Amino acid sequence: MADHVTISAIVDLTGVNRTTVLRYLKALTAAGYLKFQPGPAGKANAWVLIKDVGHHAPRVRADGSAVTQGAITMQLWRAMTMLKEFSYVDLVQHASIEIPEATSKDYCKRLLAAGYLRVLVKADPSAARIARYRLIRASGPKAPQVQRVRQVFDPNTGTAYPSAGDTQ
């Protein structure tokens, strides 16, 4: 394995545009994954890996900050797959990041409408009781995505399910 990488090497291996490669290398450098090494006169600049995070490429913005899109649903989905039964509050409490209760509640509603959850205990606002659920369609490790077109897309199966989200 090479101790450094150049833009040309990446372009040759991937066919990705040079500008795109340079932009990503700069973002990874800003995030602390790579170290820039200017090349000697007439030689290409290089980057050295200083923080290896495994086989998944880091998702970073141009300024080096982490892209967090999808992190909330991933945390909620992970909690659903680990817990035997749960409420939307339980999911928030088992997450390793801060998640608004309203977001958790809406995700549960959408997955219920799409057929991923079964209601074990119905919500009763007059008794201050919230709904409890069980996951009945654990389709894989990737979290189903709630889309704006009122459907839930499952990246594990490539299937889209209608989800009005009006069910409690």
Side-chain angles (χ1 to χ4, degrees), residues 1-5 25-37 46-54 58:
M1 185 164 130
D3 63 341
H4 68 278
V5 67
L25 292 174
K26 285 181 175 181
L28 290 174
T29 302
Y33 294 100
L34 302 177
K35 180 180 177 192
F36 175 71
Q37 288 188 326
W47 283 262
V48 177
L49 181 65
I50 58 174
K51 182 179 172 187
D52 190 347
V53 293

Side-chain angles (χ1 to χ4, degrees), residues 9 12 42 58 97 128:
D12 290 346
I97 60 173

Side-chain angles (χ1 to χ4, degrees), residues 110-167:
R110 302 290 178 177
L111 292 191
L112 176 64
Y116 283 84
L117 305 179
R118 175 182 297 138
V119 175
L120 299 176
V121 176
K122 231 179 150 146
D124 184 358
S126 64
R129 185 177 66 216
I130 59 176
R132 295 199 62 75
Y133 306 99
R134 173 170 284 143
L135 180 64
I136 58 171
R137 186 189 295 154
S139 58
K142 296 178 183 172
Q145 304 161 358
V146 175
Q147 299 179 324
R148 289 185 184 147
V149 290
R150 293 191 164 264
Q151 68 181 14
V152 172
F153 174 74
D154 190 332
N156 300 295
T157 62
T159 308
Y161 301 93
S163 169
D166 300 323
T167 312

Side-chain angles (χ1 to χ4, degrees), residues 66-141:
V67 173
T68 57
Q69 180 182 12
I72 288 176
T73 54
M74 194 65 213
Q75 288 285 314
L76 295 171
W77 181 247
R78 238 183 238 135
M80 285 179 184
T81 60
M82 291 188 309
L83 298 170
K84 204 161 186 69
E85 64 178 66
F86 54 86
S87 69
Y88 70 86
V89 175
D90 296 330
L91 300 178
V92 169
Q93 292 171 345
H94 283 83
S96 62
I97 60 173
E98 197 169 312
I99 300 174
E101 284 190 358
T103 301
S104 179
K105 186 177 184 179
D106 185 65
Y107 193 62
C108 287
K109 283 176 156 182
R110 302 290 178 177
L111 292 191
L112 176 64
Y116 283 84
L117 305 179
R118 175 182 297 138
V119 175
L120 299 176
V121 176
K122 231 179 150 146
D124 184 358
S126 64
R129 185 177 66 216
I130 59 176
R132 295 199 62 75
Y133 306 99
R134 173 170 284 143
L135 180 64
I136 58 171
R137 186 189 295 154
S139 58

Side-chain angles (χ1 to χ4, degrees), residues 10-38:
I10 295 172
V11 169
D12 290 346
L13 286 170
T14 65
V16 175
N17 180 286
R18 291 183 72 80
T19 305
T20 304
V21 171
L22 176 60
R23 212 176 300 134
Y24 188 53
L25 292 174
K26 285 181 175 181
L28 290 174
T29 302
Y33 294 100
L34 302 177
K35 180 180 177 192
F36 175 71
Q37 288 188 326

